[in-house]
Amino acid sequence: MHQLRRTALCAARRAGERGVRTVRIAVLRGEGRLSAGQEQARVGAAAPARALNWDGLRNVRDLGGLPTPLSSNGSTAWGRLARGPRQERLTQRGWNAAGAWGLRTVVDLRCPEEVGRQKGDPDTSPPEHLALVLAPIEDHSDPGFQAVCLPILDSPAYWRHHVRLLPGMIRAALQAIARSEPGILVHCAAGRDRTGLITALLLANAGVPSASIVADYAQSVEEMAGTAAHGGPTHDRQAGWSPTQVSAWLQRVTPEVQAFVADHEEMFALLKLGQTTRGALRDLLLTP
């Protein structure tokens, strides 16, 4: 029988702040400002190469090649960290392509009940050597999250509320990423909202400018709009959107992403994420 090494970081009932418990530990084998013109040129040049062709998945990208003054070569490192949608959509050819990219760890941000094959998914399984880490960042039973976040779950407007309401769960996910061996796929269902929140924090922590983080979020919205439902926990209205609707939406929510990134130090303070972990996350994106 196919045996998977999986770490499940599940929500524990909190007294004050929600914690996490490890169900099973995966064996992980490791652990000057740019001008506006330079930034735009870098983003434009790197964008085509960042898209990863993993059969079965839309909206999967390498987080390398993004501008940052913190890197010795001026950009984030390739082949270290990728973002995407639910892994169950990968075909065997897709898993092979992910392996060729260097995939070693999958950090899954979904709730436990979302995990698993759904109708229409290919009959494939992850490679046996892959470390699978379940690190859910949402608790749909939490009254505050239900009232504030669920109604706007497809909007970056919920990101800062999410940080405020469930900091322990987001912190645990970031810690899981920091502990993982490079060659990491971080994903949720669509790879847009939960993954967008975590990616925005990771990129801001690595010194990536706001404009590049906004563009990365926008690319995920564009990739997933007008496609079939992605199998997330709520109805995805964006699955039926036209390019005109996408454009209007991005114009509306871009200030939310910009404000979140501008306040990223405040967000990290709310998360109480240690400097050691922040340093490990930064190194993950800056070390070639």
Side-chain angles (χ1 to χ4, degrees):
M1 179 179 291
H2 184 81
Q3 298 294 325
L4 299 180
R5 298 173 299 166
R6 183 184 295 270
T7 296
L9 300 175
C10 299
R13 294 298 175 190
R14 62 176 177 175
E17 181 179 286
R18 203 166 295 276
V20 295
R21 60 187 176 88
T22 300
V23 174
R24 186 144 64 98
I25 299 177
V27 179
L28 302 180
R29 293 170 293 180
E31 241 196 333
R33 303 286 298 174
L34 298 171
S35 70
Q38 288 173 318
E39 178 184 323
Q40 188 174 28
R42 280 187 175 276
V43 174
R50 291 185 57 225
L52 297 172
N53 184 18
W54 296 358
D55 189 55
L57 290 192
R58 303 174 63 92
N59 186 33
V60 56
R61 291 187 301 286
D62 195 314
L63 292 181
L66 293 170
T68 172
L70 303 184
S71 171
S72 59
N73 65 4
S75 64
T76 52
W78 295 96
R80 308 271 292 176
L81 188 62
R83 61 174 294 172
R86 51 191 294 272
Q87 59 180 288
E88 291 89 352
R89 293 299 301 163
L90 278 167
T91 65
Q92 189 56 58
R93 188 168 63 180
W95 281 116
N96 292 343
W101 174 80
L103 183 65
R104 294 176 176 85
T105 308
V106 175
V107 177
D108 187 343
L109 305 176
R110 296 175 296 173
C111 299
E113 63 269 20
E114 296 178 69
V115 177
R117 191 176 299 137
Q118 300 180 14
K119 183 178 180 180
D121 289 344
D123 185 13
T124 58
S125 297
E128 292 187 6
H129 71 271
L130 202 65
L132 302 177
V133 181
L134 183 61
I137 65 171
E138 293 180 353
D139 180 358
H140 298 162
S141 68
D142 181 84
F145 190 87
Q146 285 182 348
V148 177
C149 295
L150 279 182
I152 54 173
L153 211 53
D154 68 343
S155 169
Y158 96 94
W159 291 356
R160 65 177 57 247
H161 299 299
H162 192 169
V163 170
R164 173 176 56 84
L165 291 165
L166 299 175
M169 299 185 77
I170 296 174
R171 181 174 63 248
L174 291 170
Q175 290 169 335
I177 295 169
R179 289 194 301 265
S180 295
E181 183 178 8
I184 305 165
L185 171 66
V186 177
H187 80 85
C188 53
R192 181 190 62 211
D193 304 311
R194 286 169 284 191
T195 303
L197 185 162
I198 295 296
T199 298
L201 290 172
L202 291 171
L203 295 180
N205 185 57
V208 175
S210 177
S212 298
I213 299 174
V214 168
D216 188 64
Y217 166 75
Q219 190 170 351
S220 286
V221 173
E222 292 164 350
E223 287 282 347
M224 297 306 291
T227 64
H230 55 73
T234 58
H235 170 70
D236 184 15
R237 57 179 174 167
Q238 296 187 30
W241 279 2
S242 68
T244 300
Q245 289 172 300
V246 169
S247 179
W249 174 257
L250 291 175
Q251 185 174 7
R252 173 183 166 188
V253 301
T254 289
E256 298 283 357
V257 182
Q258 292 170 328
F260 184 82
V261 173
D263 294 338
H264 71 273
E265 288 296 342
E266 178 186 342
M267 298 299 107
F268 280 116
L270 289 171
L271 292 171
K272 298 181 180 178
L273 193 69
Q275 289 301 319
T276 299
T277 300
R278 288 191 63 179
L281 292 172
R282 193 175 294 116
D283 289 345
L284 181 63
L285 281 168
L286 299 181
T287 304

